[in-house]
């Protein structure tokens, strides 16, 4: 099965809002969602496993991949498809050793040095890189300023790994971001804050060139 | 090798204070320390793995077991001896499945219902139970009132699993706590706040009956 990261939603209970996480994902799935990352820095492990289990049931049979942010143990306990690790999370080689080969690992890498280091890892250590913020964003309080499209394109071209861009992507600018060579666009607000998450997800995919750059997993 | 939990220190960077975590543990080791639990709800996974790695080097060859609070992934990445799980952390059966048989799992269980449930788990799921707070404590901000010695003794007698008591244990009351049948006493402040952590640890062990109730692991 190809790993399709093109429409990648990052979501947690706070972002689910009144509609809720499950209903948001269900709607986004109708619009072509391909991946979900559950991110919640406040929930207990037990709460995360329970919520991830509910997401798994919603996603069953859709082909949409489920990632857990940061917590590999939660991802494994919940039977998620993978984990997304930041630079201050578990080391990806240690994570790969714990999780085994049939598990997806994403890594945030937003500088040339981080991307060079990630690209030099043994094949099969990391499945994709997350690059951002693409544009200025207010969703993540401590995010640095946006890289801009030229820098994102340069970073993408520096690795054979598929890259997912995140940060400040909106209905207005999404189409322009595909020109950078990204394999996927990750968003929080564009889908969670939309009146119609299905339409927002479809909008995210406008401008995607076919075939998307992705690895068979 | 027997699992000796009799003198069990719970510590994190905040509790290490000016002396620091490593120096505190090194000193406590001289006083007979048998187990350490690294607990830090604020550190990143990367920071925890790094600190746990330093602890492993300090503990190498001492026989003192190293547990990580909550984060099974960190415990596995760092090569710790085990994980300590609370009631809102990972489910212990899921944790055992991920960690395999040669890994220690402790579980907080402070009510009759929790202890009954833990005791009914398949053999080898949980290695010990943590019971508390034994007395009123101010170390953990959200801790309920102390159970008292009679309740702790009753809870201990309700399970074949070794039990470690925690909460409000001091140099003055430690000896009295051994009468409850606990296999170990866990402390934060009694050792971390002591002018002489070695002496405080030795004091913790006064009154322990031999042999301690523990399982071969």
């Amino acid at each position: 099965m190809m790993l399709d990261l093109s429409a990648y939603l990052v979501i947690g209970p706070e972002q689910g809002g009144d509609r809720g996480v499950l209903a948001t994902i269900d709607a986004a799935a109708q619009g072509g969602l391909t991946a979900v990352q559950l991110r919640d820095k406040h929930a207990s492990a037990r709460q995360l496993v329970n919520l991830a289990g509910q997401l798994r049931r919603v996603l069953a049979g859709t082909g949409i991949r489920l990632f857990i942010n940061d917590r590999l143990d939660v991802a494994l306990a919940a039977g998620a498809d993978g984990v997304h690790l930041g630079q201050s999370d578990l080391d990806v080689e240690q994570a790969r050793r714990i999780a085994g080969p049939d598990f997806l690992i994403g890594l945030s890498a937003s500088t040339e040095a981080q991307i060079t280091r990630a690209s030099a890892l043994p094949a099969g250590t990391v499945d994709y890189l997350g690059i951002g913020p693409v544009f200025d964003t207010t969703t993540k309080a401590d995010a640095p300023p946006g890289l801009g499209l030229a820098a994102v394109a340069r970073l993408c071209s520096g690795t054979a790994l598929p890259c997912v861009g995140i940060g400040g992507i909106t209905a207005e600018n999404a189409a322009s971001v595909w020109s950078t060579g990204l394999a996927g666009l990750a968003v929080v607000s564009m889908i969670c804050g939309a009146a119609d998450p299905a339409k927002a997800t479809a909008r995210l995919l406008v401008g995607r060139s076919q075939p998307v750059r992705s690895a068979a997993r």
Side-chain angles (χ1 to χ4, degrees), chain A residues 145-156:
Chain A
L147 294 160
L149 295 181
V152 170
R154 196 170 57 245
L155 292 169
C156 279

Side-chain angles (χ1 to χ4, degrees), chain A residues 110-154:
Chain A
S110 298
T111 67
E112 219 168 300
Q114 288 169 354
I115 287 176
T116 302
R117 214 159 40 233
S119 304
L121 291 166
T125 305
V126 166
D127 293 289
Y128 75 88
L129 300 180
I131 295 182
V134 175
F135 301 112
D136 293 347
T137 175
T138 53
T139 303
K140 211 172 173 182
D142 55 349
L147 294 160
L149 295 181
V152 170
R154 196 170 57 245

Side-chain angles (χ1 to χ4, degrees), chain A residues 127-194:
Chain A
D127 293 289
Y128 75 88
L129 300 180
I131 295 182
V134 175
F135 301 112
D136 293 347
T137 175
T138 53
T139 303
K140 211 172 173 182
D142 55 349
L147 294 160
L149 295 181
V152 170
R154 196 170 57 245
L155 292 169
C156 279
S157 69
T159 179
L161 291 163
C163 296
V164 176
I166 188 165
I169 298 171
T170 64
E172 287 67 41
N173 65 32
S176 71
V177 184
W178 288 109
S179 67
T180 57
L182 286 167
L185 307 190
V187 298
V188 181
S189 310
M190 180 178 164
I191 291 177
C192 292

Side-chain angles (χ1 to χ4, degrees), chain A residues 39-170:
Chain A
R39 179 166 76 186
D40 187 341
K41 295 289 188 190
H42 304 297
S44 69
R46 186 71 59 100
Q47 289 171 319
L48 280 176
V49 170
N50 289 343
L51 181 52
Q54 293 178 294
L55 295 190
R56 271 193 68 189
R57 285 187 285 280
V58 168
L59 299 177
T62 64
I64 300 171
R65 309 295 182 108
L66 174 62
F67 295 87
I68 308 296
N69 182 269
D70 174 21
R71 293 211 52 157
L72 175 59
D73 49 1
V74 168
L76 293 173
D81 299 293
V83 70
H84 184 89
L85 298 173
Q87 293 284 330
S88 61
D89 296 334
L90 285 186
D91 173 80
V92 288
E93 290 187 271
Q94 289 178 325
R96 176 59 69 198
R97 181 174 54 74
I98 294 167
D102 299 324
F103 185 82
L104 299 169
I105 297 181
L107 172 65
S108 295
S110 298
T111 67
E112 219 168 300
Q114 288 169 354
I115 287 176
T116 302
R117 214 159 40 233
S119 304
L121 291 166
T125 305
V126 166
D127 293 289
Y128 75 88
L129 300 180
I131 295 182
V134 175
F135 301 112
D136 293 347
T137 175
T138 53
T139 303
K140 211 172 173 182
D142 55 349
L147 294 160
L149 295 181
V152 170
R154 196 170 57 245
L155 292 169
C156 279
S157 69
T159 179
L161 291 163
C163 296
V164 176
I166 188 165
I169 298 171
T170 64

